[in-house]
Amino acid sequence: MKAVNIGILGLGTVGGGVANVLARNRVEIARRAGRDIVVTHAAAREAAQDVNTDGIEISNNAFAVVNDPSIDVVVELIGGYEPARELILQAIANGKHVVTANKALIAIHGNEIFAAAQQQGVTVAFEAAVAGGIPIIKALREGLSGNTIEWAAGIINGTGNFILTEMRDKGRDFADVLAEAQQLGYAEADPTFDVEGIDAAHKLTIIAAIAFGIPLQFEHVYTEGISAIDAADVAYAAHFGYRIKHLGMTRRTDQGIELRVHPTLIPEKRLLANVDGVMNAVLVHGDAVGPTLYYGAGAGREPTASAVVADIVDVVRALTTDPGNRVPHLAFQADALSAIPILDMADVVTAYYLRLQAADRPGVLAMITQILGQHEISIEAMLQKAPSTHEAGVPIVIISHRIRERQMNAAILAIEAQEAILGPVTRIRIESLASD
Ligand code: HSE
């Protein structure tokens, strides 16, 4: 059978990895796909030194690849919104299948891209867009298709997890660890995407869409980053038996779907709390299967290439399939997506970790507990440290039971308004991640 010709846009970290893996595993991949798969054309600004470019025509214009009539599948690995969006839409218009690792593009322009692909009868595959090398899209979209998905929680940014792990284990400085992540090729071109949770929000948008059969709605994700995490919070969390992770959480409730990325205290006994370094993990709870956990490298050249190449193999296997019988882009048929709303963050119910600095005098603790009580917030545990010589007041740490965020917001405002409270209250949400 004729070989399938691949055109790659971008031979950087991931693109170079894809070219290398396809060349190195060519025979093994052909045994799986049933045909030879070869990269014949690539767009790159300069010839990469550590990339196997044997037999690949290199163009400096990406449109030359997209418009090359001999190319069957376009692999978009340049990232960003434009010209990636225009290139993908052009490839689709040319009747080519597309594979991409571009989570930002899928999260924001995926609805438009999938509609165009469906109209043309081609596939846009995006496994590498979420959690690097972990086949989480395939698991959610195909392996769990018998379930009603109840919730999914994930550590889905390798850079952020690497930073939190190094800070906790080695006491390293935030900026220093971030620089190392950039050097290793984990971090986004704009590293604020990693540390402020934007990259994780892109990925969570995709997870929620295929878990619940809803359109991609990045604009509704509540997003909080890790740049304000203090070493004291890491230590107090450990005291109470928790680890702080930057978690993406999506849950189906009767009122709507939770869609949120923020630092989260997780019980240290949970597997997810022990996912360290650049590794990612996604915990998915289905009504039939119960909890399932997917773990692996969330970033890096060859782990991401692994997911891209798996998509290429899937696309090649489905080349002769009737477009109406292919796996839908968002797991559910395009005309069966649900309009269930995304829940306002103020309506989300979680437990909380609070840390505040208070004047060390009679009645202050009583005042705090009274305000919490007035807002129906029940305290699960509390810790007050002895005053130290180098700071005013005493630190007080409180673990609350579950409460609606609106009530906690009001209580925090009331506490911060007290003259005995020295500075803002630190608040970190807690998830038990229990399966019941
Ligand atoms: N910057 C991303 C991360 C790369 O650190 O997880 C993989 O999407």
Side-chain angles (χ1 to χ4, degrees), residues 103 156-159 186-188 194 199 203 298-299:
K103 54 259 165 146
I156 44 180
N157 182 267
T159 302
Y186 302 154
E188 295 302 298
D194 294 300
D199 176 74
K203 295 166 181 167

Side-chain angles (χ1 to χ4, degrees), residues 63-86:
F63 283 94
V65 176
V66 162
N67 292 324
D68 179 343
S70 73
I71 292 297
D72 303 297
V73 181
V74 169
V75 180
E76 183 278 306
L77 299 169
I78 53 177
Y81 303 113
E82 296 293 354
R85 172 180 158 277
E86 202 187 336

